[in-house]
Every structure is written in C-alpha cells, then in structure tokens.
C-alpha cells in the first residue's frame, strides 16, 4: 500500500490529508515537529478565527496581489464558499461579520480542529507528533528526529506543508529553507508580512501612549489608502490598519531604506472644513482645547501631532489643518519576522507544476504559507492554505495514479 507522507500538521497539511483519505488503498501519515498539531491555527483562533471572507470572488482573488494569477485556479477549486460548506460539514456553523469577514460561530479554532482531527483519525490518518523533518537521506527517504532517535521513512509521495517563518514557538520556524535550497529549489527570502513597524518615538511619547489605539484614522502609502485603527507600541506601530498596509511599507523600506505612512487624523472633515473650524477665534482656550473642540483632535491624536510637528504652537492655521489631514509618520524598520502574523517569500511558484509538485523533485508537493505568496489578514491567509493543501492532495492522487 503506497505511503503518503505529509509533513506539517497545520491547516495546509491537514487539508491535504483530508483530500487523500477520500482515496482508498493509500496510507496517509502526517508528521509534525511539535507535540500537538495545528498550534498556529489555534493561535489564529485566539483573537477570533477569521477563516475566510464573503466578498465577491474577483475581489477576494485580487487580495493576493502579484500572485493572484497562480492562486486564482486554486481558489476557484476550493474557495471561500467551499470552505464554509466544508466547515459546516464538520458540524461547525459560520457567520459573516459586518466587514464581510467570515468566522466560525464560536469564533474559535479549537472546536473545529478537534472535530477535524477526530474525523481524520477515524478515516485512518496516522498522526506522528514530535517528528522533526531533517531532510532527505541519500536514497531519497525522509529523515525525522524523534524522541527515540532518528527515523527514516520511505514515502511514495510527500507533501511539505511546513508553514512560514513567524511565531517559531508554534512550530513554523522556516528551518526548511536551507533543506530545499540545497536541492536547488528556488526559495524567495522569508520576510515579515502583516507586521508592525518601528518608529523613532521620543521617550516621552512612547511612555505616555504605548498601548493606545489611534482611531478612526485613514492611513495611506504608495497610493493605497484605508480607514481603520492601529495601536501605538513602545517601539512603533501595529494593528489591523498597519498590517493592511504593511506590504508597501516593507517594500519601500527594502528598496529605498525609508518609508513614510501618511495619516489623516480627521477623516470626517474635509481640509476646507478643518481650516474653517480651526480659524474660529480661540479666545482664552489653550491650543489643546481648541484642537479638541474644533477639530476633535485629542489624546493620542494630539500626542501624534505634537510628536511629529515640532513647532505646533507657532504653526499657521492652514498648515495645522493640512498636517492633521496629511501627517507624515516615518517608519524605520519592520518588526522581526518572528513577530509577524504571516510570511512573505517562500518556494517560488515557478519551481512547481500546476499540481504544486516540485518540478525538480518529482513526488514532492508543497502547500500553505511556505509558498511564495502573501495576502492581508481577513481570512485570505487561511483560505489560501486550505486551497493549496487541497490542491497538493489532489496532485498526489493524480501523480500516483499516473505512475502507479
Ligand atoms: C497570531 C496569529 C493570528 C492569525 N490569525 C489569522 C486569521 O484570523 N485568519 C487567517 O486567515 N490567518 C491567520 N493567521 C495566519 C494563519 O494561521 C497561517 O497562515 C496558517 O496557519 C498557515 O498554515 P500552514 O499550514 O501553511 O502552516 P502552519 O499553520 O504554520 O503549520 C506548519 C506546521 O509545520 C510544522 N513544521 C514546521 N517545520 C517542521 C519540520 N521541520 N518538521 C516537522 N514539522 C514541521 C509546524 O510544527 C506546524 O505545525 C494568523 C497567524 C498568527 C500568528
């Protein structure tokens, strides 16, 4: 009976297994370095598991940016709608939030993972935890470090679903990169995606405002503009709005060495309205009170203005209004990869055929975040992991049928 080895028990690997157990006459074994499966998946469920998005498919596919052409056929085979139906098949209901984001009813990953693992085990999938893949032996077998020493597994087909390089403590540490590069597989450097940034805050600003949300605000960079909120941290900025714009910010830092986020601190007012409001007589009001009463600028927003506009008190009204509508916030660096929500870079799609099999290593398939794509948060990450996992499973099936 052919053995299919799936390495990595995250959403991509588990979905590949799910696809393969449907086929009789094959043994499916999943190996994972960690003591239990799906740790990052469970972490993704902590703040509310946003598993996919309900927007029209064309918009959904557009979220994969420069990789949409390669992701599109995979998402069309197993996209947001199929994913929701699949979740419902596990006995878990989903709902669409106000922003179109889709969540399991309980918002958590644990009940879904529990039901899924139970079903996979029942279907005969063998799960081997504490099996760290070390690469290939000379004869092409798979090498694993286990608590009982090194184990060699001869597989008829292998699916690598080893994740990206962030949150290494959850298992995906990117240690696979040199193993594949040594076999001549092109791997784009792993880079932070959906990440925070460092800002050279003054000690006063950072002590006073770290942890505070800035909202509502419109942020823009490189022609992209989005309303939302973000948080001040001791060393910079993070949060949903920053993650959404993190790719162009990161790319600008990489190519030019500097990047600037532009903030509209008063999204509800036009520039003209703001100038008119701020031009009203101040009387005995302090500037801080005037800004609060006339422009709604207070707290952390006022702090940002003071931090980034050194001569605030002597700034003319129209310049002050212009700064509120277009405040330049220079960022100095991305936060480290390990802190990022996801990873850009990875195995180049050019190295894979349409079944996600490595052209140079026939019988070895790849899926999930270890492939070279990126997407914003909003359920796009998990959906692509599921879609690529499923495609790799289908690819193995087609490949074994063809050769077998
Ligand atoms: C805090 C946080 C919140 C998130 N929230 C969301 C969200 O709401 N929505 C969303 O769409 N996405 C979210 N994500 C991203 C999402 O969790 C990941 O994109 C997804 O888990 C990647 O799936 P994967 O199967 O490719 O890899 P992973 O889930 O990383 O799984 C890879 C597996 O491979 C194993 N492994 C790695 N190397 C080896 C080795 N050498 N040998 C054996 N096993 C190995 C690991 O132990 C791990 O179990 C979030 C991520 C984080 C960190």
């Amino acid at each position: 009976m052919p053995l299919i080895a799936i390495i990595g028990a995250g959403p991509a690997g588990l979905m590949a297994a799910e696809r393969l157990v449907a086929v009789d006459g094959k043994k499916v074994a999943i190996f994972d370095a960690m003591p239990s499966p799906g740790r990052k998946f469970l972490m993704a469920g902590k703040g509310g598991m946003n598993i996919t998005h309900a927007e029209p498919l064309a918009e959904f596919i557009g979220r994969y940016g420069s990789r949409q052409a390669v992701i599109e056929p995979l998402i069309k085979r197993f996209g947001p709608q199929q994913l929701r139906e699949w979740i419902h098949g596990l006995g878990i209901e989903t709902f669409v939030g106000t922003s179109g984001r889709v969540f399991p009813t309980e918002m958590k990953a644990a009940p879904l993972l529990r039901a899924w693992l139970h079903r996979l085990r029942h279907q005969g999938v063998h799960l081997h935890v504490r099996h760290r893949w070390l690469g290939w032996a000379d004869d092409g077998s798979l090498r694993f470090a286990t608590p009982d020493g090194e184990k060699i597994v001869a597989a008829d087909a292998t699916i690598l679903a080893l994740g990206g390089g962030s949150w290494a403590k959850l298992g995906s540490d990117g240690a696979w990169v040199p193993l594949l590069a040594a076999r001549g597989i092109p791997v784009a450097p792993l880079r932070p995606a959906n990440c925070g940034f460092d800002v050279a805050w003054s000690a006063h600003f950072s002590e006073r405002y770290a942890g505070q949300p800035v909202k509502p605000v419109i942020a823009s960079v490189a022609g992209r503009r989005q309303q939302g909120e973000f948080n001040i941290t001791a060393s910079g900025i993070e949060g949903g709005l920053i993650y959404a714009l993190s790719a162009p910010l990161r790319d600008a830092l990489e190519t030019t060495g500097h990047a600037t986020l532009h903030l509209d601190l008063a999204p509800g007012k036009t520039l003209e309205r703001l100038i008119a409001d701020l031009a009203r007589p101040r009387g005995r009001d302090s500037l801080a009170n005037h800004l609060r009463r006339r422009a709604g600028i207070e707290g952390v927003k006022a702090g940002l203005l003071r931090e980034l506009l050194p001569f605030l008190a002597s700034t003319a009204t129209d310049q002050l209004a212009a700064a509120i509508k277009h405040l330049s916030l220079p960022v100095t660096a991305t936060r480290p990869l390990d802190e990022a929500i996801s990873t850009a870079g990875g195995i180049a799609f050019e190295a894979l055929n349409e079944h996600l099999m490595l052209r140079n290593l026939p019988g070895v398939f790849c899926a999930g975040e270890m492939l070279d794509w990126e997407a914003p948060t909003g359920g796009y990450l998990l959906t692509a992991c599921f879609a690529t996992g499923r495609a790799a499973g289908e690819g193995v099936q087609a490949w074994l049928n063809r050769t077998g």
Side-chain angles (χ1 to χ4, degrees):
M1 189 185 282
L3 171 72
I4 300 156
I6 298 172
I7 314 177
L14 294 175
M15 185 50 89
E18 166 100 7
R19 185 66 193 78
L20 283 160
V21 285
V23 184
D24 285 340
K26 289 182 181 61
K27 192 172 167 193
V28 179
I30 308 179
F31 301 88
D32 200 287
M34 300 301 281
S36 61
R39 292 197 169 195
K40 190 179 270 184
F41 187 60
L42 289 172
M43 175 56 77
K46 283 248 163 89
M49 156 133 297
N50 177 202
I51 205 145
T52 191
H53 203 286
E55 69 195 351
L57 199 58
E59 270 170 53
F60 189 99
I61 288 166
R63 308 291 177 183
Y64 297 93
S66 62
R67 294 292 179 274
Q68 52 183 295
V70 280
I71 295 286
E72 179 169 4
L74 308 170
I75 294 283
K76 283 198 163 155
R77 291 217 299 277
F78 193 77
Q81 190 51 37
Q82 292 88 341
L83 180 56
R84 287 185 72 184
E85 284 161 15
W86 173 82
I87 297 169
H88 301 159
L90 280 168
I92 309 272
E93 288 309 310
T94 57
F95 72 94
V96 183
T98 42
S99 59
R101 293 172 177 232
V102 176
F103 302 88
T105 322
E106 285 185 63
M107 301 287 282
K108 295 187 203 130
L112 197 161
L113 184 63
R114 222 177 6 252
W116 193 11
L117 289 171
H118 178 76
R119 189 165 79 185
L120 285 172
R121 285 202 183 96
H122 190 69
Q123 289 167 321
V125 172
H126 300 259
L127 177 61
H128 304 273
V129 293
R130 295 192 166 92
H131 277 59
R132 169 168 293 281
W133 180 58
L134 300 174
W136 289 274
D138 289 344
D139 67 355
S141 303
L142 301 165
R143 294 175 53 212
F144 291 97
T146 80
D148 305 323
E150 189 168 323
K151 242 191 219 174
I152 300 287
V153 173
D156 297 275
T158 302
I159 296 178
L160 301 176
L162 301 164
S166 73
W167 290 65
K169 65 178 181 193
L170 302 178
S172 47
D173 57 8
W176 54 266
V177 173
L179 299 178
L180 289 180
R183 302 295 295 249
I185 307 301
V187 181
L190 303 189
R191 299 180 297 153
N194 295 301
C195 58
F197 291 84
D198 288 334
V199 176
W201 299 133
S202 65
H204 167 77
F205 181 87
S206 144
E207 274 158 31
R208 176 129 189 225
Y209 295 110
Q212 293 208 18
V214 182
K215 61 178 183 180
V217 65
I218 294 175
S220 51
V221 59
R224 284 180 55 185
R225 202 176 135 79
Q226 193 162 322
Q227 180 157 347
E229 64 179 85
F230 68 88
N231 286 315
I232 305 294
T233 67
S235 63
I237 48 176
E238 66 176 19
L241 184 58
I242 303 305
Y243 300 156
L245 298 171
S246 60
L249 274 178
R250 176 204 61 209
D251 293 348
L253 276 171
E254 278 176 7
T255 49
T256 66
H258 50 85
T260 301
L261 192 65
H262 299 284
L263 302 176
D264 178 351
L265 298 178
K269 283 184 193 249
T270 62
L271 177 62
E272 295 69 31
R273 174 71 198 274
L274 202 54
I275 293 173
D277 286 348
L278 287 173
R280 289 166 73 176
R282 203 164 112 187
R284 286 202 302 217
D285 253 358
S286 66
L287 177 59
N289 268 343
H290 188 62
L291 280 170
R292 178 176 55 77
R293 278 158 39 104
R294 301 295 178 206
I297 299 294
E298 59 183 324
V300 64
K301 284 188 177 177
L304 273 169
L305 260 191
R306 271 192 299 272
E307 177 79 356
L308 299 166
L309 210 63
F311 304 107
L312 182 65
S314 56
T315 304
T317 300
D318 49 352
Q319 282 170 349
L320 187 54
I324 291 170
K325 292 297 285 177
H326 198 75
L327 190 64
S328 297
L329 171 58
V331 300
T332 56
T334 55
R335 293 297 301 155
L337 173 60
D338 195 50
E339 292 177 17
I341 297 289
S342 62
T343 303
I347 297 171
F349 276 91
E350 296 70 35
L352 301 159
N353 72 10
E354 73 277 20
H355 295 299
L356 304 184
M357 184 173 81
L358 288 167
R359 295 177 199 279
N360 288 352
L361 293 177
V364 179
F365 296 72
C366 303
E369 213 182 295
M370 70 186 298
L371 303 180
D372 184 13
W373 56 273
E374 66 175 311
T377 57
Y380 309 104
L381 299 165
L382 282 170
T383 306
C385 290
F386 285 121
T388 53
R390 198 170 167 92
E394 281 165 5
V396 165
Q397 192 188 334
W399 190 74
L400 288 179
N401 285 347
R402 196 170 56 230
T403 58

